C-alpha cells in the first residue's frame, strides 16, 4: 500500500505555505498522508460487489453469434448451449432471449447476461424488425428509471440495461445492406453498437480491407456513430487510442470453441483442408482486438457511456414527455373554458 | 452505478460457469480505478468543537499541509460554519478536500440552538444533491459532491464526562452524518485518566442512544484492524505542525519543559490511528455510508414530506412522476376553483350594487313626482284663490261703481228737489 515514490502534497492557491518535501530532510513517510490508499479501498469494494455486464448480439441466423460469444468468454454462454432444445427452427417473429451467468476470474466476479435475438433479419419482410429490440432496450431503461425514482429504493439497483450491442454483418464483401444501415442508424442512438464482420474467414485480406473501408464510408455517410463514439472522447490521450480503434472497425472475426494442435500448442481455431485458422492470431483475424476492446480495456468505459449518456438521454426524453402531455392537457382544458382566448395547444411529440 | 451486488447465492436463472481459459475481465477493477483517478475524488470533513480546541491544527497535521487559518474570536453571537475547499494531490491521486469548521461553537451564553446551524448546513448539502438528482437534465458524475462524509466531534479533555452540549449535538447529528468523536488536546490527560475517560464517554454515548460511526467489519482484509480500532474509540489526538528534533529526526511534536509530545508516536496519542482509520482504510466506506444510508434517509423523509408515496390508495405502485402530476393537477384544479369563486363573488357584488343604485334612483324619482304634484296642487289652489280674489275685486268694483252712480243720481235728484223748492 505505501509506495516508495515520494509523495507531494500540493495545495491550490489558497495557501502560500509549505509543501511536503523538505530540502535535505530524511524520513520520507513523515510527510506521507495516505490519500492514495483510497484506490486500494475502491478496488476492494469493487471486488466484493462484483460486476455486471449485459451484451446483446444481433444478426441473421447462421452468422456465428453463439460461437463468437462462447469464444469471447471461453465457456458455453450462448443460448443454444443452455436450452435443451437444440432445434434450429427459425422463429416466426423476433424473440428476445436473455441468459445470465456468474463467472469468476482471479477473484473478480461478474454476472454476464447474453441477450440473443433469434429471428432478426430472417423473415421475408424485415420492415420494422428493429422495433422489438428497441422496445427491449427501452424497457430496460424504463425499469431502471422506475427503480431510481422510488422513494424506498434498493441499495444497489440491479442493472439490466444493455451495455453493448454486437451487430453481425454478413461477409458479402460489397457494402452494407439496407437492413444493416437502418438498424444501426436507429440503434446507435440508444445503445453502444459494435459492428463486426462475421465469418471473416471467407474474405481474403484485400477483400476484407476493401469491405471495411466501404463499411466505414457508409457509416459516415449515414451519420451512424458506433462505439467508440467520437463525441465522447474525453481527452487527447483517449482520442488517440480511440482513433486507432476507429481505424479498424468493424472487426473481422472468426469464432471457434474447438481446440487444435498447432505448432505444438493447443489453440482455438477452425480446421479446414487448406489450413487451420487460428482465432487468436491477429494475422488471421481480428478477434483478439475485439476481445481486448470489449473486455480488457474498454469495458468500464462502455458501461459508463451507457449509464451516463444513453440512459440520461432516455430519462430526459421520458420526463419531458410526461410534462408535455400534462401541459397539452392543461391547455385543452383552458381552451374549453374560455373559448374567446385563442391559444393553440402545443403538439405532443413522443 | 458501474457495478452492482452479485448475490452470494446465484439467482434463479443465473448459472455459475467455469472458464476454460483466460478471458481478461480481471482487469475490470483496474479499469474502474483508472477511471476514478482521471475523475479525482472528493471528501468533505466537518469539524465540530469549541473555539480554540485545536480543530484547524488537527486538520493541518492530518493532511500535512498548511490550510490558511486564522484564529476565531470568542465573541460570535451565533454559531457559524466556514467551509474551505482544497485540491490535494498525492502520487497520482487527486483529492478535493472540503473542511468545514464551526465558528463560535460553545461560546454563547445560551447554547440551546447551537446545533441548528450545523444541522441546517448538512441538510442543505443533501438538498442540493437531491435537487441535482431530480433534475431532468442532470450531470451527476460532474457534480461536485459537497455532502459531509465524516464529522469529527472534538470533545474537550475535562477528564470527567461529556458535556450536555456534546450529547445534544451528537444526538441530533447521528442520523445525518458519520460521527467520529475525538478527544482533543489529549496531552493534558494522563494515561490512566484517559482510559477512564474513554470508557465513560462510550458508556454515556451508548446510554443516550447516540450512534457513532463504527468501522466496517464485513471485509475480511480490514475486519481485524477495524475491530481493534473500534475498541480504541474515541481517539485521543494531539495536533501540531511544528517540528522538534528528537534523536536524529525531525518529528511533529509539541515541546514542553518537561518533555516532548510526539504526534506520530503511538504511545503518546492516537493520531496515527485516526489518520489510518479516517484516510487509509475507511475513506471509501465513509463516502458510501453517507450516500447509501444518510442521504437515502434524507431523501425518503423529504419526499414523503412533500406527499409522495410509493404505493397509491389501492396499494398499486405509484411512480414519482404520477404523484407529481396528480399533485400538479390538484393544484391547478384548486387554482381554477378559487378563480371561479372570486369571479362569482365579484359578479354578485356588482349585481347587488346595481340593484341598490336602481332602488335609490326609483326612490328619488317617486319623491320628485310627489313634490311635483304637491307643487301643482298648491299652484291650483293659489289660482283658485286668485280667481276668487279677482271675482271679489270685480264685484267690489262693480258695486262701487253702482254706489257711485247711485250717489251721483241721488245728488242730482236732491239738487232738483232743492231747485224745485226754491222755485215755489
Amino acid at each position: 500500500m505505501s509506495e516508495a515514490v515520494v509523495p507531494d502534497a500540493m495545495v491550490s492557491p489558497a495557501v502560500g505555505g509549505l509543501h511536503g518535501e523538505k530540502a535535505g530532510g530524511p524520513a520520507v513517510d513523515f510527510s506521507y498522508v495516505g490519500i492514495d490508499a483510497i484506490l486500494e479501498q475502491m478496488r476492494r469494494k469493487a471486488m466484493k460487489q462484483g460486476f455486471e455486464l449485459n451484451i446483446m448480439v444481433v444478426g441473421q441466423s447462421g452468422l456465428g453469434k453463439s460461437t463468437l460469444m462462447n469464444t469471447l468468454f471461453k465457456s458455453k454462454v450462448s443460448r443454444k448451449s443452455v436450452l435443451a432444445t437444440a432445434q434450429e427452427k427459425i422463429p416466426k417473429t423476433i424473440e428476445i432471449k436473455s441468459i445470465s451467468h456468474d463467472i469468476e476470474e482471479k477473484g473478480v466476479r461478474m454476472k454476464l447476461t447474453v441477450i440473443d435475438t433469434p429471428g432478426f433479419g430472417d423473415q421475408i419482410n424485415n420492415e420494422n424488425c428493429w422495433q422489438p429490440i428497441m422496445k427491449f432496450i427501452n424497457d430496460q431503461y424504463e425499469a431502471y428509471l422506475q427503480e431510481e425514482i422510488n422513494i424506498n429504493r434498493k441499495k444497489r439497483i440491479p442493472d439490466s440495461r444493455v451495455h453493448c450491442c454486437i451487430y453481425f454483418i454478413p461477409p458479402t464483401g460489397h457494402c452494407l445492406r439496407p437492413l444493416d444501415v437502418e438498424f444501426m442508424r436507429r440503434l446507435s442512438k440508444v445503445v453502444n453498437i459494435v459492428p463486426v464482420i462475421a465469418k471473416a474467414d471467407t474474405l481474403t485480406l484485400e477483400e476484407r480491407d476493401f469491405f471495411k473501408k466501404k463499411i466505414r464510408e457508409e457509416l459516415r455517410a449515414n451519420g451512424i456513430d458506433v462505439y467508440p463514439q467520437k463525441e465522447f472522447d474525453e481527452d487527447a490521450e483517449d482520442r488517440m487510442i480511440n482513433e486507432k480503434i476507429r481505424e479498424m472497425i468493424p472487426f473481422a472475426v472468426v469464432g471457434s470453441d474447438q481446440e487444435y494442435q498447432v505448432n505444438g500448442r493447443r489453440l482455438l481455431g477452425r480446421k479446414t483442408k487448406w489450413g487451420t485458422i487460428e482465432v487468436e492470431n491477429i494475422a488471421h483475424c481480428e478477434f483478439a482486438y475485439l476481445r481486448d476492446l470489449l473486455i480488457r480495456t474498454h469495458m468500464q468505459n462502455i458501461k459508463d457511456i451507457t449509464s451516463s449518456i444513453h440512459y440520461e438521454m432516455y430519462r430526459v426524453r421520458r420526463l419531458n414527455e410526461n410534462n408535455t402531455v400534462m401541459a397539452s392537457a392543461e391547455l385543452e382544458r383552458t381552451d374549453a373554458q374560455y373559448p374567446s382566448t385563442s391559444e393553440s395547444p402545443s403538439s405532443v411529440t413522443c | 452505478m458501474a457495478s452492482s451486488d452479485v448475490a452470494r447465492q446465484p439467482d434463479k436463472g443465473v448459472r455459475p460457469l467455469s472458464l476454460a481459459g483466460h478471458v481478461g475481465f480481471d482487469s475490470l477493477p483496474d479499469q474502474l480505478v483508472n477511471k476514478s483517478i482521471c475523475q479525482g475524488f472528493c471528501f468533505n470533513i466537518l469539524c465540530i468543537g469549541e473555539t480554540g480546541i485545536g480543530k484547524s491544527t488537527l486538520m493541518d497535521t492530518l493532511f500535512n499541509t498548511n490550510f490558511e487559518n486564522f484564529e476565531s474570536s470568542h465573541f460570535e453571537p451565533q454559531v457559524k460554519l466556514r467551509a474551505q475547499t482544497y485540491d490535494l494531490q498525492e502520487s497520482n491521486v487527486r483529492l478535493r478536500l472540503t473542511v468545514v469548521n464551526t465558528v463560535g461553537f460553545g461560546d454563547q451564553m445560551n447554547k440551546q440552538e447551537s446545533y441548528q446551524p450545523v444541522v441546517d448546513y448538512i441538510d442543505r448539502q443533501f438538498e442540493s444533491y437531491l435537487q441535482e438528482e431530480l433534475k431532468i437534465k442532470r450531470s451527476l458524475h460532474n457534480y461536485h459532491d459537497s455532502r459531509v462524509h465524516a464529522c469529527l466531534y472534538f470533545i474537550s479533555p475535562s477528564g470527567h464526562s461529556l458535556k450536555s452540549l456534546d450529547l445534544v449535538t451528537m444526538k441530533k447529528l447521528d442520523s445525518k452524518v458519520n460521527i467520529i468523536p475525538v478527544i482533543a488536546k489529549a496531552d493534558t490527560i494522563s494515561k490512566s485518566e484517559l482510559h477512564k475517560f474513554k470508557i465513560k464517554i462510550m458508556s454515556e454515548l451508548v446510554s443516550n442512544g447516540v450512534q457513532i460511526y463504527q468501522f466496517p467489519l464485513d471485509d475480511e482484509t480490514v475486519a481485524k484492524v477495524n475491530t481493534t480500532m473500534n475498541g480504541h474509540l474515541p481517539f485521543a489526538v494531539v495536533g501540531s505542525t511544528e517540528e522538534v528534533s528528537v534523536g536524529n529526526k525531525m518529528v511533529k511534536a509539541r515541546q514542553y519543559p518537561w518533555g516532548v509530545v510526539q504526534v506520530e508516536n503511538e504511545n503518546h496519542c492516537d493520531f496515527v490511528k485516526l489518520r489510518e482509520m479516517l484516510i487509509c482504510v475507511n475513506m471509501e466506506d465513509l463516502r458510501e455510508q453517507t450516500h447509501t444510508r444518510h442521504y437515502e434517509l434524507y431523501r425518503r423523509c423529504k419526499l414523503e414530506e412533500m406527499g409522495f408515496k410509493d404505493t397509491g390508495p389501492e396499494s398499486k405502485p405509484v411512480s414519482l412522476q404520477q404523484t407529481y402530476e396528480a399533485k400538479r393537477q390538484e393544484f391547478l384544479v384548486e387554482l381554477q376553483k378559487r378563480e371561479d369563486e372570486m369571479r362569482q363573488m365579484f359578479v354578485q357584488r356588482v349585481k347587488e350594487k346595481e340593484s341598490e343604485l336602481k332602488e335609490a334612483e326609483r326612490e328619488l324619482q317617486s319623491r320628485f313626482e310627489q313634490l311635483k304634484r304637491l307643487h301643482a296642487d298648491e299652484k291650483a289652489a293659489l289660482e283658485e284663490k286668485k280667481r276668487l280674489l279677482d271675482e271679489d275685486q270685480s264685484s267690489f268694483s262693480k258695486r262701487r261703481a253702482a254706489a257711485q252712480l247711485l250717489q251721483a243720481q241721488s245728488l242730482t235728484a236732491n239738487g232738483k228737489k232743492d231747485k224745485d223748492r226754491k222755485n215755489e
Side-chain angles (χ1 to χ4, degrees):
Chain A
M1 185 170 81
S2 49
E3 315 189 11
V5 176
V6 171
D8 27 273
M10 300 181 318
V11 184
S12 69
V15 176
L18 65 117
H19 293 277
E21 258 282 275
K22 301 236 181 308
V28 162
D29 37 65
F30 160 72
S31 43
Y32 173 69
V33 178
I35 299 178
D36 53 356
I38 195 173
L39 299 180
E40 190 55 41
Q41 297 171 31
M42 264 196 117
R43 192 190 304 265
R44 253 190 295 122
K45 182 174 88 156
M47 303 265 285
K48 190 167 71 126
Q49 282 176 349
F51 296 88
E52 252 185 359
L53 185 68
N54 306 319
I55 299 190
M56 179 185 260
V57 281
V58 181
Q60 284 179 306
S61 34
L63 282 181
K65 306 191 290 286
S66 311
T67 317
L68 187 69
M69 279 293 112
N70 288 349
T71 324
L72 259 180
F73 290 101
K74 294 228 168 62
S75 54
K76 301 240 178 285
V77 298
S78 74
R79 171 185 56 99
K80 296 215 178 96
S81 334
V82 175
L83 302 180
T85 61
Q87 284 178 315
E88 298 298 326
K89 207 162 60 144
I90 296 179
K92 290 218 164 40
T93 55
I94 303 172
E95 299 165 346
I96 313 250
K97 293 210 167 90
S98 77
I99 316 255
S100 299
H101 314 272
D102 262 333
I103 43 184
E104 191 198 316
E105 189 175 54
K106 293 213 182 114
V108 178
R109 283 176 300 120
M110 182 155 90
K111 179 164 175 247
L112 171 74
T113 307
V114 177
I115 303 159
D116 204 352
T117 54
F120 177 82
D122 286 336
Q123 280 83 39
I124 294 183
N125 183 359
N126 282 313
E127 272 181 14
N128 300 335
C129 61
W130 51 81
Q131 265 172 7
I133 299 178
M134 278 271 267
K135 181 167 174 322
F136 178 80
I137 294 177
N138 283 336
D139 282 345
Q140 305 314 305
Y141 287 147
E142 180 67 30
Y144 195 88
L145 181 65
Q146 289 304 326
E147 276 296 333
E148 201 187 31
I149 61 181
N150 253 351
I151 306 251
N152 287 317
R153 44 190 196 185
K154 303 200 182 95
K155 215 168 177 184
R156 289 267 171 269
I157 305 178
D159 191 0
S160 62
R161 304 173 288 192
V162 177
H163 296 128
C164 170
C165 172
I166 306 185
Y167 187 75
F168 285 74
I169 302 172
T172 59
H174 297 172
C175 60
L176 289 177
R177 301 165 304 156
L179 171 65
D180 303 333
V181 171
E182 203 48 45
F183 179 87
M184 282 203 272
R185 195 162 58 88
R186 283 166 193 272
L187 257 74
S188 60
K189 298 196 175 55
V190 292
V191 75
N192 297 320
I193 292 200
V194 178
V196 295
I197 301 175
K199 298 203 166 170
D201 47 346
T202 56
L203 296 169
T204 64
L205 289 179
E206 296 85 23
E207 287 170 353
R208 187 199 288 179
D209 284 336
F210 174 76
F211 191 27
K212 284 214 245 184
K213 206 153 61 90
K214 207 74 189 6
I215 290 180
R216 279 200 291 272
E217 270 171 25
E218 290 210 351
L219 289 178
R220 224 187 339 259
N222 283 292
I224 301 175
D225 244 345
V226 298
Y227 184 80
Q229 294 96 336
K230 222 182 243 230
E231 47 184 341
F232 304 141
D233 282 342
E234 288 182 11
D235 49 33
E237 202 185 300
D238 257 2
R239 208 167 305 137
M240 228 173 39
I241 301 177
N242 288 345
E243 273 304 322
K244 284 211 207 82
I245 297 175
R246 282 191 277 262
E247 301 285 304
M248 285 201 288
I249 50 168
F251 295 114
V253 295
V254 175
S256 162
D257 41 10
Q258 283 180 322
E259 289 187 346
Y260 295 98
Q261 195 83 355
V262 174
N263 290 342
R265 294 184 312 172
R266 289 197 68 76
L267 293 173
L268 286 174
R270 284 171 65 75
K271 190 159 176 170
T272 60
K273 285 222 158 50
W274 48 90
T276 308
I277 305 155
E278 294 161 39
V279 163
E280 292 188 355
N281 187 338
I282 50 175
H284 291 196
C285 76
E286 293 175 341
F287 170 80
Y289 291 128
L290 176 70
R291 181 201 52 207
D292 286 346
L293 175 76
L294 268 191
I295 300 179
R296 294 194 187 166
T297 54
H298 282 69
M299 196 191 262
Q300 189 59 39
N301 186 242
I302 288 177
K303 289 167 66 164
D304 286 339
I305 291 189
T306 308
S307 78
S308 56
I309 297 178
H310 292 298
Y311 169 70
E312 290 294 318
M313 263 181 11
Y314 175 81
R315 184 174 173 274
V316 168
R317 224 174 338 134
R318 182 82 167 72
L319 296 181
N320 273 336
E321 194 180 86
N322 276 336
N323 282 349
T324 334
V325 168
M326 281 297 306
S328 79
E330 182 55 35
L331 281 172
E332 280 168 12
R333 219 160 54 87
T334 329
D335 266 355
Q337 275 200 340
Y338 307 107
S340 55
T341 61
S342 51
E343 274 179 341
S344 53
S346 63
S347 61
V348 178
T349 48
C350 326
Chain B
M1 275 188 209
S3 48
S4 69
D5 247 349
V6 177
R8 294 284 166 171
Q9 307 92 348
D11 328 314
K12 329 186 275 285
V14 183
R15 356 159 7 229
L17 273 188
S18 51
L19 302 171
H22 177 65
V23 177
F25 62 84
D26 55 343
S27 64
L28 257 186
D30 289 326
Q31 294 179 33
L32 191 61
V33 162
N34 282 338
K35 178 188 84 144
S36 306
I37 291 182
C38 289
Q39 268 183 349
F41 297 90
C42 72
F43 193 62
N44 307 317
I45 303 186
L46 169 67
C47 295
I48 308 184
E50 297 171 354
T51 318
I53 208 172
K55 307 185 283 286
S56 317
T57 317
L58 186 69
M59 285 294 114
D60 284 350
T61 326
L62 208 56
F63 290 101
N64 215 18
T65 55
N66 186 12
F67 299 129
E68 214 169 57
N69 283 308
F70 40 88
E71 287 179 14
S72 331
S73 91
H74 281 259
F75 294 97
E76 300 281 347
Q78 260 191 332
V79 175
K80 289 202 299 255
L81 287 129
R82 191 174 60 214
Q84 284 158 311
T85 310
Y86 307 96
D87 280 321
L88 305 177
Q89 180 160 353
E90 190 171 70
S91 54
N92 56 351
V93 176
R94 281 176 300 124
L95 178 73
R96 176 161 279 207
L97 175 75
T98 303
V99 177
V100 187
N101 275 322
T102 52
V103 172
F105 190 79
D107 277 338
Q108 293 82 27
M109 305 251 269
N110 181 0
K111 300 182 224 173
Q112 266 185 329
E113 296 296 313
S114 288
Y115 65 84
Q116 197 60 44
V118 183
V119 171
D120 287 342
Y121 177 81
I122 297 176
D123 278 345
R124 263 204 309 274
Q125 311 313 311
F126 282 150
E127 182 65 33
S128 64
Y129 190 86
L130 183 65
Q131 290 301 322
E132 183 65 32
E133 200 185 26
L134 289 180
K135 267 195 205 162
I136 295 195
K137 266 199 166 49
R138 61 189 189 180
S139 57
L140 274 181
H141 44 276
N142 283 337
Y143 178 75
H144 170 53
D145 190 3
S146 57
R147 300 174 292 184
V148 177
H149 299 127
C151 168
L152 288 177
Y153 195 93
F154 287 73
I155 301 173
S156 21
S158 62
H160 298 310
S161 64
L162 285 174
K163 302 199 186 130
S164 46
L165 173 66
D166 296 338
L167 278 172
V168 163
T169 314
M170 280 204 265
K171 191 85 183 85
K172 288 276 178 214
L173 292 176
D174 68 352
S175 59
K176 290 194 183 287
V177 75
N178 303 314
I179 299 187
I180 303 177
V182 294
I183 302 174
K185 298 199 172 173
D187 49 349
T188 51
I189 318 184
S190 72
K191 239 190 165 67
S192 50
E193 282 176 355
L194 186 63
H195 189 62
K196 279 193 284 198
F197 190 30
K198 281 192 187 183
I199 294 180
K200 190 80 205 306
I201 291 179
M202 290 311 279
S203 67
E204 279 199 340
L205 288 176
V206 164
S207 61
N208 280 289
V210 175
Q211 283 183 325
I212 56 173
Y213 176 71
Q214 296 289 325
F215 303 120
L217 303 172
D218 43 1
D219 190 344
E220 310 83 39
T221 31
V222 292
K224 213 155 61 91
V225 75
N226 276 348
T227 342
T228 4
M229 291 302 176
N230 272 333
H232 282 127
L233 278 176
F235 294 126
V237 293
V238 174
S240 168
T241 43
E242 289 164 359
E243 284 161 30
V244 172
S245 79
V246 170
N248 56 350
K249 289 200 302 185
M250 295 291 283
V251 294
K252 286 194 280 239
R254 286 175 66 78
Q255 178 146 58
Y256 291 107
W258 50 88
V260 175
V261 179
Q262 293 165 38
V263 165
E264 288 179 338
N265 186 335
E266 298 223 30
N267 290 327
H268 290 195
C269 72
D270 294 333
F271 174 80
V272 175
K273 296 196 182 77
L274 174 69
R275 184 176 63 194
E276 196 172 316
M277 283 293 105
L278 186 65
I279 302 177
C280 305
V281 178
N282 294 310
M283 201 197 263
E284 185 59 35
D285 184 68
L286 282 165
R287 279 153 41 116
E288 194 180 328
Q289 290 286 337
T290 309
H291 181 65
T292 53
R293 199 147 58 99
H294 301 296
Y295 169 70
E296 285 296 314
L297 183 65
Y298 174 83
R299 179 178 176 273
R300 207 177 317 147
C301 295
K302 196 74 202 299
L303 291 179
E304 273 174 7
E305 196 181 282
M306 298 208 297
F308 294 107
K309 295 188 295 286
D310 265 342
T311 60
E314 304 95 29
S315 75
K316 276 203 312 252
V318 172
S319 76
L320 203 72
Q321 198 66 20
Q322 277 177 299
T323 324
Y324 174 72
E325 281 162 21
K327 278 200 170 307
R328 192 157 170 270
Q329 269 296 69
E330 253 179 63
F331 179 66
L332 289 171
V333 162
E334 180 78 32
L335 270 185
Q336 194 64 27
K337 208 162 56 142
R338 272 206 257 149
E339 202 182 320
D340 285 342
E341 259 174 47
M342 276 181 36
R343 192 167 292 121
Q344 289 272 45
M345 219 168 49
F346 180 67
V347 166
Q348 187 84 355
R349 282 236 281 248
V350 164
K351 271 212 193 90
E352 274 176 23
K353 205 61 191 221
E354 217 177 66
S355 65
E356 245 175 65
L357 285 174
K358 269 212 177 71
E359 191 66 46
E361 198 185 330
R362 243 178 312 163
E363 214 177 312
L364 244 93
Q365 190 81 355
S366 65
R367 286 205 52 195
F368 176 67
E369 298 273 315
Q370 207 180 30
L371 279 173
K372 195 160 145 192
R373 249 181 316 183
L374 241 96
H375 177 76
D377 280 346
E378 280 206 11
K379 192 161 168 196
L382 276 173
E383 291 274 310
E384 187 66 37
K385 274 208 180 131
K386 187 170 171 200
R387 197 175 53 85
L388 281 174
L389 199 65
D390 275 344
E391 268 185 27
D392 267 350
Q393 211 175 33
S394 70
S395 75
F396 174 69
S397 62
K398 254 192 234 155
R399 273 206 304 208
R400 195 171 68 159
Q404 269 181 343
L405 196 64
L406 211 62
Q407 204 176 29
Q409 267 184 354
S410 81
L411 257 177
T412 43
N414 275 354
K416 236 170 146 187
K417 247 177 164 176
D418 275 337
K419 236 166 149 187
D420 280 346
R421 263 188 305 153
K422 245 169 167 184
N423 293 339
E424 311 186 317

